[in-house]
Amino acid sequence: AQSVTQPDIHITVSEGASLELRCNYSYGATPYLFWYVQSPGQGLQLLLKYFSGDTLVQGIKGFEAEFKRSQSSFNLRKPSVHWSDAAEYFCAVGPLSNDYKLSFGAGTTVTVRA
Amino acid sequence: DAGVTQSPTHLIKTRGQQVTLRCSPKSGHDTVSWYQQALGQGPQFIFQYYEEEERQRGNFPDRFSGHQFPNYSSELNVNALLLGDSALYLCASSSLRDSYTDTQYFGPGTRLTVL
């Protein structure tokens, strides 16, 4: 069964500093991988997705993620964080051909300090 | 282009009651999935509807049921509410026509509080 681990529960970063959020997955096939962001009290917004091809994926809001099959990782990065990036970030894997659900990690909360 | 919409935004119920949550998918989408997000956790898959049928179900009891209408909108029903059903309920839509990508787009959610 597919699963996702986000090792960092909470990260604090200074405005203007770089950010990296870790995501490790367990999956029996070539994964479809996603990063979503959730602002307080809101739904999930898709940041970026990886299906195949180039392992470095560009998303919205200046985010990028790199797929590393050898490490079963799909880490999210942003070179310079803005105060508006304070939110909760979820990594997700799926769907498979006969398993249509997304499986999410527990999330990483990002706090941005001035 | 309207995104995924959900109603109501917030809902307060008491134990034992029944609740119905509603979702309208993004324009052009024909598949609706429901997720439960408890406080401090990631979303958990409840079920997915396609062509007005439940195509897949997660590990949730039969108290959770759903429906999809011919216009692709969907309802989530929860009977005999428990305190543990308090959560944010998220609806996601996708398009089987784009099955290779099958990206799920989420609505803003319905916050259910059970007292």
Side-chain angles (χ1 to χ4, degrees), chain B residues 44-113:
Chain B
Q44 298 292 317
F45 176 75
I46 302 174
F47 41 54
Q48 184 180 88
Y49 276 83
Y50 172 66
E51 292 189 334
E52 303 179 48
E53 292 192 357
E54 183 183 287
R55 180 160 71 170
Q56 183 181 1
R57 186 179 186 88
N59 189 25
F60 279 81
D62 292 344
R63 298 186 297 109
F64 290 77
S65 63
H67 189 76
Q68 186 179 34
F69 299 94
N71 67 352
Y72 307 122
S73 67
S74 178
E75 290 182 347
L76 164 65
N77 300 292
V78 187
N79 294 322
L81 284 167
L82 304 174
L83 295 179
D85 296 332
S86 295
L88 180 68
Y89 288 84
L90 295 164
C91 169
S93 75
S94 54
S95 172
L96 192 64
R97 287 185 288 275
D98 298 327
S99 59
Y100 186 74
T101 60
D102 205 24
T103 300
Q104 295 185 21
Y105 294 89
F106 284 80
T110 293
R111 173 70 63 186
L112 172 64
T113 301

Side-chain angles (χ1 to χ4, degrees), chain A residues 32 34 36 38 41-44 46 49 51-52 88 90 95 98-102 104-107, chain B residues 35 37 40-43 45 48 55-56 88 90 99-109 111:
Chain A
Y32 295 167
F34 305 82
Y36 287 87
Q38 185 175 39
Q42 302 297 312
L44 301 177
L46 179 69
K49 60 189 178 186
F51 290 142
S52 65
E88 190 155 21
F90 291 94
N98 290 313
D99 185 357
Y100 304 101
K101 68 178 180 292
L102 292 177
F104 286 84
Chain B
Y35 293 81
Q37 185 181 17
Q41 297 182 22
F45 176 75
Q48 184 180 88
R55 180 160 71 170
Q56 183 181 1
L88 180 68
L90 295 164
S99 59
Y100 186 74
T101 60
D102 205 24
T103 300
Q104 295 185 21
Y105 294 89
F106 284 80
R111 173 70 63 186

Side-chain angles (χ1 to χ4, degrees), chain A residues 23-90:
Chain A
C23 172
N24 295 100
Y25 65 89
S26 172
Y27 206 70
T30 301
Y32 295 167
L33 294 159
F34 305 82
W35 276 99
Y36 287 87
V37 61
Q38 185 175 39
S39 298
Q42 302 297 312
L44 301 177
Q45 182 182 21
L46 179 69
L47 284 175
L48 48 77
K49 60 189 178 186
Y50 171 78
F51 290 142
S52 65
D54 193 346
T55 57
L56 187 62
V57 180
Q58 301 297 320
I60 63 171
K61 304 185 179 187
F63 285 92
E64 66 178 25
E66 186 171 12
F67 170 61
K68 292 185 177 180
R69 184 186 302 275
S70 62
Q71 298 178 18
S72 297
S73 69
F74 188 56
N75 294 349
L76 182 71
R77 299 192 293 253
K78 185 169 184 176
S80 178
V81 169
H82 187 262
W83 63 267
S84 61
D85 293 322
E88 190 155 21
Y89 293 79
F90 291 94

